Structure formats: C-alpha cells, structure tokens
Amino acid sequence: DAKTTQPNSMESNEEEPVHLPCNHSTISGTDYIHWYRQLPSQGPEYVIHGLTSNVNNRMASLAIAEDRKSSTLILHRATLRDAAVYYCILKNSGGSNYKLTFGKGTLLTVNP
Amino acid sequence: GAGVSQTPSNKVTEKGKYVELRCDPISGHTALYWYRQSLGQGPEFLIYFQGTGAADDSGLPNDRFFAVRPEGSVSTLKIQRTERGDSAVYLCASSPVTSGANVLTFGAGSRLTVL
C-alpha cells in the first residue's frame, strides 16, 4: 500500500473546527483513503473513507484534493472527546488482502 | 456481542512463559486481524485470517508467535517463550470483507507485560 504523511501533532480549541491534513502523493487510482482514530487506552475506531469525492458522515467530513495527492479530515466542532491519534491510511481496493497498514498518525490535543 | 471482545484485558507474565490471547470477533465477520502496538507507535500488522485460514501471516515477528482460528470465529494468538520485547498491546479486529473499502472494527486490546 502507498505511504501517507501526516503531522506528528496538532492542537485545537474546543468547539472550533479542526482540519487534519494527509499527503499521499503516490496514491494509485484504486486506493481508498481511510481515516481511523484511537482514543486513549482504546483500539482504533473507523471515522470515514473515500475514493474521489468528498464524503460526510455523522463524525466528520473528508475533503479529497482533485489530484487525490492529499486529503483533509474535518471535525466541524471539536470536543474534548475528539482528543485522539488520527491515522490516514491508503487501502487498495484490488486483490484479496484486506489488511490496513498504520503509520504514526497525528496526535490531536483539544484545549477546553 | 455487539463489538470485538478481547481477553484478558491485561496479562503480566514472566520471561520465558507461554501466553494465549483470545479474540471474539463480531458475529458473521469472516475476516479477523491481529495487530501489535508498542508505546508511541501505530498498530503493527501481525496476521490476517479469511475464515479459518491465515491469508497473510507476513507480520508475525518470528516462530514464537502463532495464531489459530479453528472454526472461523474465535481466534487465539499464542506466544511461546515470551521475551521482554514482546510487551505491547495486542489488538484484534474483524471485518465483513464485502469490498475493497473494507472497514475494520477493533477490540480494546490485550495489554501484555513481560517481566
């Protein structure tokens, strides 16, 4: 799977929007962009995924650049509960191996 | 159950002992994954099952590590002759494997400490 690059850490204030960037310049046409997050002392949890178009769900929005070489996870109003490590992962839709390969992610701190 | 269940949540053992970690996936999920996470790192892939068979065990660090899933549901990760470097959180995940956009659901993990 192609590699992603994320900042090591970011800070936000409660109730403000947060934009978490991810670069994936070697993405292939069949790679999905997945985001997971990991709250302290818990396993990772799925947030959102997309292929080409922007996506929205109850947790977040995913904005994908037109050339697909970067994407941004948007939390519209950060809460203290959103403090977590956020992982951006590329997953090829082809083949039969469905594992995900995690990097170090971005540690998001939310200030009250 | 509604989620992925892992037992024990915490295990402390002595160097050289044998350890088993259990994972109970979401009912009906055909794919099951084991990951290991050291402090400050992202989860590291160990092994992936499709049904009863190991489809990809390329992440197992050495032959002290072994995993089984005999009936295609519950899985056990077995570690022989434990070493201090095996201390980590062992995460299990499952998925329905319906498409390439496959979403994994993780358990809370089993924290292993080797003294």
Side-chain angles (χ1 to χ4, degrees):
Chain A
D1 292 318
K3 187 174 162 51
T4 63
T5 305
Q6 299 178 254
N8 290 334
S9 62
M10 288 186 66
E11 228 175 291
S12 171
N13 294 320
E14 205 176 3
E15 298 191 7
E16 290 184 356
V18 182
H19 291 231
L20 295 160
C22 181
N23 287 319
H24 28 77
S25 58
T26 59
I27 191 170
S28 77
T30 51
D31 282 338
Y32 280 86
I33 302 160
H34 287 248
W35 284 83
Y36 282 72
R37 72 179 184 182
Q38 188 169 22
L39 300 164
S41 302
Q42 294 188 28
E45 108 182 284
Y46 167 79
V47 178
I48 200 167
H49 76 275
L51 186 60
T52 56
S53 303
N54 294 344
V55 184
N56 300 294
N57 66 21
R58 63 174 181 81
M59 289 180 74
S61 295
L62 177 59
I64 302 173
E66 199 168 327
D67 63 4
R68 300 187 71 235
K69 292 184 187 298
S70 65
S71 60
T72 303
L73 180 70
I74 302 165
L75 307 178
H76 295 285
R77 286 181 73 223
T79 69
L80 296 177
R81 197 196 170 276
D82 292 322
V85 177
Y86 286 78
Y87 298 99
C88 170
I89 302 165
L90 299 184
K91 177 66 193 79
N92 196 284
S93 60
S96 59
N97 193 326
Y98 296 94
K99 73 184 184 193
L100 295 176
T101 302
F102 288 80
K104 282 195 166 185
T106 297
L107 174 63
L108 175 66
T109 301
V110 180
N111 300 313
Chain B
V4 177
S5 174
Q6 292 188 246
T7 54
S9 55
N10 275 288
K11 175 71 177 178
V12 180
T13 191
E14 293 179 343
K15 181 174 177 297
K17 299 288 188 184
Y18 170 80
V19 165
E20 287 191 353
L21 305 175
R22 175 189 165 108
C23 174
D24 204 336
I26 291 173
S27 177
H29 280 192
T30 56
L32 185 145
Y33 313 76
W34 283 101
Y35 286 79
R36 176 170 73 172
Q37 187 170 27
S38 301
L39 198 60
Q41 305 295 315
E44 170 195 18
F45 170 77
L46 295 177
I47 186 170
Y48 150 61
F49 287 89
Q50 283 257 40
T52 59
D56 182 349
D57 64 358
S58 62
L60 294 177
N62 51 60
D63 61 6
R64 295 186 299 105
F65 288 75
F66 189 71
V68 295
R69 194 185 185 199
E71 297 177 358
S73 56
V74 171
S75 176
T76 305
L77 179 66
K78 308 179 183 206
I79 310 174
Q80 297 178 318
R81 305 183 303 281
T82 51
E83 300 177 357
R84 292 196 180 88
D86 298 335
S87 296
V89 176
Y90 289 80
L91 295 161
C92 177
S94 69
S95 72
V97 190
T98 55
S99 73
N102 187 41
V103 171
L104 275 61
T105 302
F106 283 81
S110 292
R111 180 178 297 278
L112 175 66
T113 303
V114 182
L115 300 176

